[in-house]
Amino acid sequence: MTRVKPGERKRARTSTGRKCDGYQSSGSPLTPESSPRSILTTYSNGVEAESFQFFIEKTLDNFQTFFTDDLWSTRILQVAQEEDCIKNGVVALSHFHRHYLTHQQWRRIESVTALKHYNLAIKELLTPSPDTSPRGHVLIISCLIFICIELLQGKTDSAIGLFKYGCNMIQQHRNLSPKDKTDTNLYSDTEETFRLVEACFKRIAVQFLTLISDMDPSLWFLFYNTFGSSLTFQKGCFTSLSDAREALLELLVEQATPGLKGKSARDIMAHAAKMNRWRELFDALLSQLDDRERLLSDTEKRSIALLQLHRKYLEINVAKYTLGQGDPCFWDNFTPEFEEIVNHAATAAGLDQDCKRRSWSSESSPEACFHIDLGFTSVLIAVIARCRDPFIRRRALAVMLAERVQEGVFNASQSAKVAARVMELEESRSGKVVSSSSDIPQEARVRTIRVHLSGGDDEKVRIVYGFDQGYFEEEQSMAE
């Protein structure tokens, strides 16, 4: 198959007499140095131009809440200029994201435009025109966009199915990667795009492992077959907060259910050594940031708080499995640490210590936020499940409910319902007014929380809360 350069692909399209909506023959490809807004001039179709403007002004802002991402801000916009399936996918994602921000997706208000472009994106993949030949990075980008759309609609089961399909594509890409690299520029650009998509998939994988790995063991095999198990920070240093985040993913995976439970002392100590190494590199990075002449931006402050809360939570888990396995009351020793985690979460969420919106600069996120990156919601659920201090628990709930936030698979409002149920069950079973952790006896404590996805289109989950003896289960809607 003849490989076509990006510029030649656009000329080939116009030479066949087929006019692609939204393309202008004078448009030039987006470069990493140019502003994403420059792409708007290449779309003459009003609906498409408006959708891309919303994507650039709102969706990109959400997706980069904590960390800048060249994949979304540059690469995908580049490919959208060349591939109709990506263009339509971005338009559809923009519309579904608008529905999320305006709370319309839970009100079942159908969008003809969103569904039209979603279907067009799928059609372009299934029946590409003769003058196009979707390459691997186009297929995987489409899959990533579709995952985002399904998550925005609360269709977690569908998103997981697409995720598994995408992981298989990543594995196939490695096996079929072209050996002929004569077209160096095209090859390197395509491979870099694919690498960024793969990194994004890995972050999504960690979320799925955290949520349901105990209910779907196949996710573990898929993760290690796709992303491997080698740590990325054994040597060198962190050059950015994004580097620290990527290395942290490895530790999060090792602690995901069943994690350190039942591991030997040797395995736990090996994990603790990795944690110490990450902490050393992260502290060194923070020292470098403090030594700079310019002050930290609001986004950097929030990113640091996010990484700090994950760091503290991972350290508590190591202590638990080193000294207190099998004792649910052991968590009571870490009340100050849990409070520190909630404080970091408030900062990461852009809130002050009273859980009210800070007066951030123009970088501030909107009142509703959706992204697929590492977040604070999953940690706050765990804090409420393990910290029995009633005041810290309720403050963690306040952070989760301060704004409408969806961090990939974790919806803060829905997660808060689960966390509140844990509190209600434990405090009602204690038989007394709870004023401290010690007021909740061991037999009243929730030991496990299992999430069962129902599948289909009903968008409901079954949640089982397990005690030392017995359990409580209920069905919960995915709607906020």
Side-chain angles (χ1 to χ4, degrees):
M1 181 179 295
T2 303
R3 190 175 295 277
V4 183
K5 295 183 180 180
E8 293 173 347
R9 177 182 294 275
K10 185 173 291 187
R11 289 193 294 272
R13 288 187 172 193
T14 56
S15 65
T16 61
R18 174 176 175 266
K19 183 178 183 299
C20 298
D21 291 339
Y23 281 92
Q24 292 181 351
S25 58
S26 60
S28 58
L30 191 67
T31 62
E33 292 78 16
S34 62
S35 167
R37 293 180 182 274
S38 65
I39 196 174
L40 297 178
T41 61
T42 68
Y43 292 97
S44 57
N45 182 297
V47 173
E48 293 173 359
E50 181 182 358
S51 297
F52 271 89
Q53 181 174 0
F54 182 89
F55 181 84
I56 291 168
E57 294 179 354
K58 298 294 185 181
T59 307
L60 287 184
D61 182 62
N62 273 203
F63 278 19
Q64 299 182 107
T65 297
F66 298 111
F67 307 96
T68 57
D69 194 337
D70 185 54
L71 172 65
W72 293 100
S73 64
T74 301
R75 301 279 175 172
I76 287 180
L77 294 179
Q78 283 180 319
V79 181
Q81 290 184 291
E82 302 293 335
E83 303 287 348
D84 282 354
C85 59
I86 304 301
K87 178 190 69 175
N88 284 304
V90 170
V91 172
L93 175 57
S94 174
H95 277 277
F96 281 111
H97 187 218
R98 186 194 298 269
H99 289 178
Y100 171 77
L101 295 183
T102 56
H103 212 76
Q104 293 184 62
Q105 89 279 26
W106 302 122
R107 298 174 184 169
R108 297 294 186 269
I109 298 178
E110 297 290 349
S111 170
V112 174
T113 303
L115 293 174
K116 170 189 173 183
H117 285 278
Y118 196 5
N119 290 331
L120 284 174
I122 296 172
K123 181 180 178 181
E124 283 285 341
L125 286 177
L126 297 177
T127 56
S129 59
D131 57 330
T132 62
S133 55
R135 299 183 296 277
H137 73 296
V138 176
L139 298 175
I140 194 68
I141 289 174
S142 298
C143 188
L144 178 59
I145 291 174
F146 296 164
I147 289 173
C148 293
I149 291 175
E150 295 302 309
L151 289 174
L152 276 170
Q153 298 181 89
K155 299 179 180 179
T156 304
D157 205 40
S158 298
I160 291 175
L162 286 166
F163 166 77
K164 291 180 177 180
Y165 183 63
C167 286
N168 289 330
M169 283 195 286
I170 291 173
Q171 295 177 35
Q172 291 175 11
H173 175 78
R174 289 204 190 101
N175 296 331
L176 301 176
S177 184
K179 301 297 186 289
D180 180 13
K181 303 181 183 180
T182 54
D183 192 344
T184 307
N185 291 333
L186 178 60
Y187 178 83
S188 60
D189 189 65
T190 299
E191 287 300 307
E192 176 61 17
T193 299
F194 206 99
R195 185 191 67 79
L196 291 171
V197 176
E198 182 177 338
C200 190
F201 262 78
K202 185 175 183 179
R203 294 191 287 272
I204 296 174
V206 174
Q207 296 179 21
F208 288 145
L209 288 175
T210 302
L211 180 67
I212 59 166
S213 62
D214 54 337
M215 305 307 301
D216 188 354
S218 67
L219 288 172
W220 282 109
F221 296 103
L222 190 64
F223 179 86
Y224 286 117
N225 288 337
T226 306
F227 307 106
S229 58
S230 59
L231 289 169
T232 58
F233 56 94
Q234 295 293 353
K235 298 180 181 179
C237 61
F238 295 151
T239 59
S240 66
L241 293 171
S242 295
D243 282 351
R245 172 200 57 186
E246 293 304 310
L248 190 68
L249 295 177
E250 311 285 355
L251 299 169
L252 291 173
V253 168
E254 289 193 5
Q255 289 199 14
T257 303
L260 303 178
K261 185 177 182 179
K263 294 287 187 180
S264 66
R266 179 178 179 179
D267 289 338
I268 294 174
M269 294 308 295
H271 177 81
K274 297 171 187 175
M275 270 298 311
N276 289 335
R277 179 58 176 161
W278 186 92
R279 182 170 54 246
E280 291 171 358
L281 296 178
F282 184 57
D283 287 341
L285 174 62
L286 294 183
S287 296
Q288 293 176 14
L289 294 176
D290 288 339
D291 291 340
R292 296 183 312 183
E293 293 184 0
R294 72 174 181 85
L295 298 175
L296 292 173
S297 67
D298 294 338
T299 299
E300 287 173 326
K301 292 176 183 177
R302 295 177 66 179
S303 302
I304 291 172
L306 178 72
L307 294 172
Q308 291 283 27
L309 76 90
H310 279 280
R311 162 187 177 170
K312 182 60 65 175
Y313 181 67
L314 290 172
E315 290 173 347
I316 291 175
N317 278 341
V318 170
K320 160 70 175 178
Y321 289 108
T322 302
L323 304 172
Q325 288 202 51
D327 179 11
C329 297
F330 184 79
W331 297 114
D332 297 351
N333 299 317
F334 297 96
T335 299
E337 286 80 3
F338 285 128
E339 184 175 20
E340 184 179 349
I341 289 174
V342 176
N343 289 338
H344 285 313
T347 301
L351 308 173
D352 60 23
Q353 296 308 305
D354 294 323
C355 296
K356 296 179 180 179
R357 164 62 49 188
R358 285 183 185 271
S359 297
W360 293 112
S361 68
S362 58
E363 296 177 78
S364 175
S365 61
E367 293 183 357
C369 180
F370 167 74
H371 65 80
I372 53 175
D373 210 324
L374 195 66
F376 54 82
T377 302
S378 60
V379 176
L380 289 181
I381 299 172
V383 167
I384 294 173
R386 293 174 172 178
C387 173
R388 272 73 185 192
D389 183 281
F391 305 103
I392 295 176
R393 277 180 150 182
R394 283 160 175 78
R395 186 155 181 275
L397 267 181
V399 173
M400 296 171 73
L401 294 172
E403 293 185 340
R404 292 179 55 243
V405 176
Q406 178 150 344
E407 299 174 319
V409 71
F410 291 99
N411 181 287
S413 299
Q414 297 163 8
S415 299
K417 293 179 184 178
V418 176
R421 177 65 77 187
V422 171
M423 290 170 48
E424 179 186 348
L425 289 171
E426 292 189 343
E427 293 180 2
S428 63
R429 289 165 61 93
S430 69
K432 64 176 74 173
V433 176
V434 176
S435 58
S436 67
S437 299
S438 59
D439 289 331
I440 300 180
Q442 177 173 331
E443 62 272 14
R445 300 190 176 200
V446 173
R447 300 296 303 277
T448 59
I449 303 173
R450 298 284 185 265
V451 178
H452 300 263
L453 301 177
S454 60
D457 296 327
D458 56 358
E459 300 166 20
K460 292 184 178 180
V461 295
R462 183 168 59 90
I463 304 174
V464 181
Y465 306 86
F467 303 94
D468 276 340
Q469 295 184 350
Y471 63 90
F472 172 85
E473 69 174 275
E474 64 180 353
E475 194 174 68
Q476 178 176 309
S477 171
M478 295 294 287
E480 294 178 332

